[in-house]
């Protein structure tokens, strides 16, 4: 499998921000103060205008990068002729004063391992997406960076002259760099860094210990869970699709999207996978975010919202940036917020169903249930017969999509269960009517000659999203109809290497050139559902090869080269892995570690 264009970064985060650390030690992506803010380091999209925060030797070197086990603390070891050193990067997160401490603070510990390595530290933050450079000014033991109405501070026990002049020096003892946004560090540097490192490692390991993760490929599931966790913006409960923007789906495709927002659909999948491993706190936080959106007087849900619940996410392009591998356009914002996508109502209901059916949640805390369920049911009633843009967000194509109606069906099923829980007969009757209507639309997509469900009513095209007909149990997995549907999809959309295309017909931007990872994991789930368990395991084992060196997965994979494309890491892909592993473990009768 080719290694070209493999994303050579790891991520760190604390549910307030996410930073990408390249194997060359550069902080190649960091948006402050929010996930969707302009970057202060953006070398991922422009090596010149994106700024730099690197710790590098003179001359040639090799790099080895890994996480401290069961944490989001990342280490990069650099080996040179002069010696070897290690950079430990992390975003502090731990429990303090009865709440989570998650400051806008990035800590870098640099320690010699062998010999006498000489290093150069470069810290050149930018502002307004690289249109401006931040000015530096010297303090007593810190450097202030100011620009575009933003201010940051780098506190360190390294000579400020070495950093400001980018002068190399011998690293003969552990040194520390603490970068903060919007406030000054008024505490000792070394003690603060070491205490925060210890407490952050302890927090992440405790979080994993409190997870019920099956033994089937457990390390991969653990890493995926850690990835998903830091994609929740804890201040509001919103969950973003990815921390990056404009990493292209394929070369020259112009499918370069901004994913730093909360898609209600993606959130459903993330919460499902975290629920499988016993984490519910994220669901309750998300419910608060969702409640704020739901009680607005909008007639319909948008497909995505800002992490603060913002409804207008105007899409613009930044022409001054070079782009990842020169790929343009660079998009900020996402026009998909204007789309009609009717699957999301069902996903909202299913996401919240455990709050009503799982007795580990205290039902009395759902005091606003009637108003909330009424609101979502009304939205489904208004949209059940509409054409929409579908899961893949077609910009100029509208159909009665099979996938959209599947989740209208599943959402109405969830509403029916909620209605029974709260004893509301009216809601039960309304939900049943919606179940029947959605099922009728789904059946209108069925092609009896090919024995397959098409992507939409009146269409001949096949779509991997209809794998969910089996996974969501609309089709009885033991039935011939489910098995025939699966065979037809794999015959048309599966590659020789087990990857899966979303679809092969042309859309607004032509025909897709790369495969979509979550579709391949859906395929694995569907195989397990219909009883083809050995094949499911084989296909799963094949797919996990498409991660980078840290077990992080992108959105898309080139079927010919195996290279990673699309925004990275992609929550969708990690969710797909977790759910597929859970499904296989359950079929193996090993749902928890033994």
């Amino acid at each position: 499998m080719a290694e070209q264009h493999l994303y050579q970064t790891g991520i760190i985060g604390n549910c307030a921000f996410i930073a990408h650390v390249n194997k060359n030690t550069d902080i190649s992506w960091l948006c402050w103060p929010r996930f969707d803010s302009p970057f202060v380091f953006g070398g991922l999209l422009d090596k010149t205008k994106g700024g730099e925060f690197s710790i590098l030797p003179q001359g040639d070197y090799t790099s080895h990068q890994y996480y401290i086990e069961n944490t989001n603390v990342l280490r990069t070891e650099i080996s040179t002729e002069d010696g070897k050193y290690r950079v430990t990067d992390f975003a502090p997160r731990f429990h303090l004063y009865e709440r989570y401490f998650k400051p806008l603070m990035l800590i870098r510990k640099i320690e010699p391992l062998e010999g006498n390595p000489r290093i150069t530290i470069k810290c050149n933050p930018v502002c307004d997406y690289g249109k401006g450079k931040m000015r530096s000014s010297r303090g007593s033991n810190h450097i202030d960076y100011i620009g575009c109405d933003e201010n940051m501070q780098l506190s360190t026990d390294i000579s400020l002259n070495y950093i400001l002049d980018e002068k190399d020096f011998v690293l003969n003892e552990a040194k520390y760099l603490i970068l903060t946004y919007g406030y000054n560090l008024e505490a000792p540097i070394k003690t603060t860094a070491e205490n925060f490192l210890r407490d952050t490692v302890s927090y992440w390991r405790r979080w994993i210990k409190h997870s019920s993760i099956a033994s089937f490929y457990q390390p991969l599931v653990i890493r995926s869970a850690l990835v998903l966790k830091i994609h929740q913006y804890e201040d509001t409960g919103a969950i973003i699709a990815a921390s990056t923007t404009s990493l292209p789906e394929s070369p020259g495709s112009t499918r370069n999207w901004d994913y730093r927002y909360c898609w209600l659909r993606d959130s459903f999948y993330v919460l499902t996978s975290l629920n499988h491993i016993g984490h519910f706190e994220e669901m309750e936080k998300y419910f608060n975010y969702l409640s704020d959106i739901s009680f607005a007087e909008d007639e319909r849900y948008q497909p995505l919202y800002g992490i603060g619940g913002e409804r207008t996410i105007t899409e613009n392009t930044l022409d001054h940036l070079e782009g990842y591998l020169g790929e343009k356009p660079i998009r900020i914002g996402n026009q998909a917020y204007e789309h009609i996508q009717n699957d999301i109502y069902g996903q909202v209901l299913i996401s919240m169903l455990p709050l009503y059916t799982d007795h580990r949640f205290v039902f009395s805390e759902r005091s606003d249930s009637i108003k909330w369920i009424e609101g979502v049911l009304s939205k489904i009633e208004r949209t059940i017969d509409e054409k929409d843009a579908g899961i893949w967000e077609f910009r100029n194509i509208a159909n009665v999509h099979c996938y959209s109606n599947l989740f209208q069906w599943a959402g109405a099923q969830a509403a029916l269960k909620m209605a029974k829980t709260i004893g509301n007969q009216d809601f039960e009757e309304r939900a049943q009517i919606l179940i029947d209507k959605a099922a009728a639309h789904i059946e209108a997509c069925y092609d009896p000659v090919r024995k397959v469900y098409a992507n939409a009513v009146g269409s001949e095209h096949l779509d991997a999203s209809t794998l969910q007909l089996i996974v969501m149990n609309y089709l009885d997995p033991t039935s011939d109809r489910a098995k025939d549907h699966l065979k037809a999809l794999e015959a048309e959309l599966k590659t020789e290497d087990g990857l899966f295309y979303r679809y092969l017909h042309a859309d607004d931007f032509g025909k897709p050139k790369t495969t979509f990872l979550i579709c391949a994991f859906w395929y694995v789930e569907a195989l397990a559902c219909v009883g083809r368990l050995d094949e499911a395991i084989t296909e799963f084992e094949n797919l996990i090869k498409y991660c980078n060196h840290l077990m992080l997965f992108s959105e898309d994979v080139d079927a010919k080269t195996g290279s990673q494309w699309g925004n990275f890491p992609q929550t969708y892909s990690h969710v797909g892995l977790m759910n597929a592993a859970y499904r296989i473990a359950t079929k193996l009768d090993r749902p928890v570690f033994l």
Side-chain angles (χ1 to χ4, degrees):
M1 184 178 65
E3 291 288 319
Q4 66 186 83
H5 310 326
L6 197 66
Y7 294 144
Q8 299 292 307
T9 67
I11 59 169
I12 59 174
N14 62 1
C15 301
F17 75 91
I18 294 175
H20 289 237
V21 186
N22 197 286
K23 284 185 74 174
N24 66 10
T25 75
D26 185 37
I27 304 298
S28 59
W29 187 258
L30 171 58
C31 298
W32 264 351
R34 302 192 345 169
F35 289 156
D36 54 359
S37 298
F39 59 70
V40 293
F41 296 108
L44 201 60
L45 292 183
D46 194 307
K47 297 190 186 316
T48 303
K49 297 185 181 70
E52 182 178 354
F53 191 7
S54 63
I55 305 164
L56 284 173
Q58 301 296 311
D60 295 334
Y61 65 90
T62 59
S63 173
H64 172 56
Q65 198 173 54
Y66 59 95
Y67 283 103
I68 294 179
E69 188 177 10
N70 292 357
T71 76
N72 279 310
V73 178
L74 187 62
R75 281 180 163 164
T76 309
E77 294 184 359
I78 301 294
S79 299
T80 72
E81 288 187 359
D82 295 328
K84 182 177 180 181
Y85 62 95
R86 178 169 65 203
V87 181
T88 301
D89 288 301
F90 68 101
R93 178 177 174 82
F94 47 88
H95 209 250
L96 182 70
Y97 303 132
E98 299 181 355
R99 58 185 181 270
Y100 290 115
F101 180 67
K102 49 182 192 305
L104 296 177
M105 174 187 292
L106 188 154
I107 299 181
R108 317 195 76 179
K109 176 183 179 181
I110 318 163
E111 53 190 324
L113 299 178
E114 297 174 10
N116 299 289
R118 298 187 69 87
I119 64 172
T120 301
I121 296 172
K122 296 181 180 180
C123 184
N124 301 304
V126 298
C127 57
D128 193 15
Y129 289 110
K131 290 181 181 177
K133 292 186 177 181
M134 301 188 83
R135 303 183 308 277
S136 61
S137 62
R138 184 195 308 261
S140 56
N141 292 290
H142 66 267
I143 301 169
D144 289 314
Y145 296 97
I146 302 171
C148 305
D149 297 322
E150 298 182 84
N151 62 86
M152 294 160 46
Q153 184 184 89
L154 180 66
S155 301
T156 183
D157 55 359
I158 299 169
S159 164
L160 302 185
N161 286 311
Y162 290 164
I163 298 174
L164 290 168
D165 297 338
E166 297 181 357
K167 183 179 184 301
D168 67 301
F169 64 96
V170 174
L171 180 69
N172 50 27
E173 62 178 344
K175 295 291 184 181
Y176 302 87
L177 298 160
I178 303 178
L179 187 67
T180 55
Y181 179 94
Y183 67 97
N184 300 332
L185 180 70
E186 305 288 353
I189 293 168
K190 178 179 178 179
T191 304
T192 298
E194 288 293 347
N195 288 344
F196 285 9
L197 175 58
R198 179 197 64 227
D199 291 345
T200 300
V201 167
S202 295
Y203 166 80
W204 287 119
R205 287 182 167 169
R206 191 179 309 112
W207 190 81
I208 290 297
K209 284 179 181 177
H210 291 168
S211 306
S212 301
I213 299 179
S215 57
F216 183 77
Y217 282 92
Q218 197 177 41
L220 273 167
V221 177
I222 288 173
R223 178 50 50 200
S224 290
L226 287 164
V227 167
L228 295 186
K229 174 63 176 176
I230 60 174
H231 280 75
Q232 182 169 52
Y233 185 64
E234 196 166 65
D235 181 67
T236 63
I239 300 169
I240 60 170
S243 58
T244 55
T245 179
S246 302
L247 299 184
E249 291 185 12
S250 61
S253 67
T254 71
R255 301 173 192 260
N256 307 4
W257 313 118
D258 190 348
Y259 275 10
R260 299 171 299 159
Y261 307 106
C262 182
W263 270 258
L264 302 189
R265 176 191 306 117
D266 295 38
S267 299
F268 155 70
Y269 287 110
V270 171
L271 292 171
T272 299
S273 59
L274 290 176
N275 191 21
H276 284 162
I277 65 170
H279 281 292
F280 311 111
E281 182 182 48
E282 296 76 17
M283 185 182 300
E284 293 188 289
K285 290 182 182 299
Y286 180 67
F287 182 82
N288 294 331
Y289 173 80
L290 201 57
S291 293
D292 179 63
I293 291 170
S294 298
F295 293 154
E297 296 187 1
D298 304 340
E299 287 194 357
R300 62 172 69 246
Y301 282 140
Q302 297 175 187
L304 65 148
Y305 294 84
I307 58 175
E310 296 86 357
R311 285 160 170 72
T312 302
I313 310 174
T314 306
E315 185 176 297
N316 298 300
T317 59
L318 301 178
D319 298 329
H320 67 285
L321 294 175
E322 176 185 319
Y324 176 75
L325 297 179
E327 293 287 333
K328 292 189 176 185
I330 311 300
R331 289 188 172 93
I332 302 300
N334 199 306
Q335 187 250 334
Y337 82 92
E338 299 175 347
H339 291 183
I340 295 174
Q341 294 175 29
N342 292 334
D343 59 303
I344 55 181
Y345 307 105
Q347 278 145 349
V348 164
L349 284 164
I350 305 167
S351 296
M352 297 299 106
L353 181 59
L355 296 178
Y356 295 84
T357 58
D358 190 325
H359 291 280
R360 286 171 289 187
F361 295 102
V362 178
F363 176 68
S364 60
E365 295 175 359
R366 307 277 79 80
S367 57
D368 47 18
S369 294
I370 292 177
K371 183 179 178 182
W372 183 77
I373 297 172
E374 160 67 33
V376 185
L377 272 178
S378 297
K379 287 177 171 63
I380 297 180
E381 288 167 340
R382 282 194 292 267
T383 60
I384 190 70
D385 296 318
E386 278 186 344
K387 293 182 177 182
D388 73 350
I391 179 178
W392 308 125
E393 301 177 343
F394 299 124
R395 295 204 163 193
N396 297 293
I397 302 170
N399 282 303
V400 177
H401 285 101
C402 185
Y403 179 91
S404 297
N405 280 283
L406 169 65
F407 276 90
Q408 298 275 45
W409 174 86
Q413 295 276 10
L416 184 61
K417 293 178 181 177
M418 292 177 181
K420 289 179 178 178
T421 299
I422 65 174
N424 190 304
Q425 183 67 32
D426 176 56
F427 287 176
E428 287 187 45
E429 293 173 359
R430 291 166 64 185
Q432 188 59 57
I433 291 171
L434 293 172
I435 290 169
D436 295 339
K437 281 190 174 185
H441 288 313
I442 295 170
E443 290 308 313
C445 299
Y446 186 66
D447 182 341
V449 176
R450 293 189 294 168
K451 298 180 179 179
V452 68
Y453 287 82
N455 72 321
V457 175
S459 171
E460 295 182 352
H461 302 309
L462 300 189
D463 190 314
S465 67
T466 61
L467 288 164
Q468 289 288 313
L469 291 168
I470 302 169
V471 175
M472 294 299 297
N473 218 35
Y474 174 84
L475 294 177
D476 179 352
T478 65
S479 68
D480 289 339
R481 182 167 285 208
K483 294 173 182 177
D484 289 340
H485 178 64
L486 178 56
K487 288 176 184 176
L489 289 177
E490 63 187 342
E492 182 163 316
L493 301 178
K494 178 176 175 263
T495 72
E496 292 181 1
D497 295 319
L499 294 166
F500 239 78
Y501 289 98
R502 288 176 286 180
Y503 48 85
L504 291 174
H505 61 276
D507 60 19
D508 309 287
F509 297 88
K511 292 185 177 181
K513 295 179 181 177
T514 51
T515 66
F516 209 62
L517 261 180
I518 194 172
C519 295
F521 283 119
W522 285 345
Y523 172 58
V524 171
E525 273 199 89
L527 285 173
C529 286
V530 302
R532 295 164 60 183
L533 189 57
D534 290 343
E535 292 175 77
I537 294 170
T538 299
E539 296 295 349
F540 182 93
E541 291 174 340
N542 178 64
L543 289 176
I544 61 179
K545 298 182 297 188
Y546 294 101
C547 64
N548 79 347
H549 60 292
L550 293 168
M551 299 192 291
L552 303 182
F553 289 85
S554 64
E555 180 182 38
D556 305 88
V557 174
D558 187 299
K560 294 180 180 178
T561 66
S563 55
Q564 294 181 301
W565 293 91
N567 284 302
F568 174 86
Q570 174 74 354
T571 57
Y572 240 16
S573 299
H574 285 277
V575 159
L577 182 150
M578 290 179 68
N579 289 343
Y582 178 81
R583 183 80 64 171
I584 290 171
T586 302
K587 293 291 182 179
L588 290 171
D589 199 25
R590 297 203 300 264
V592 295
F593 181 70
L594 299 175

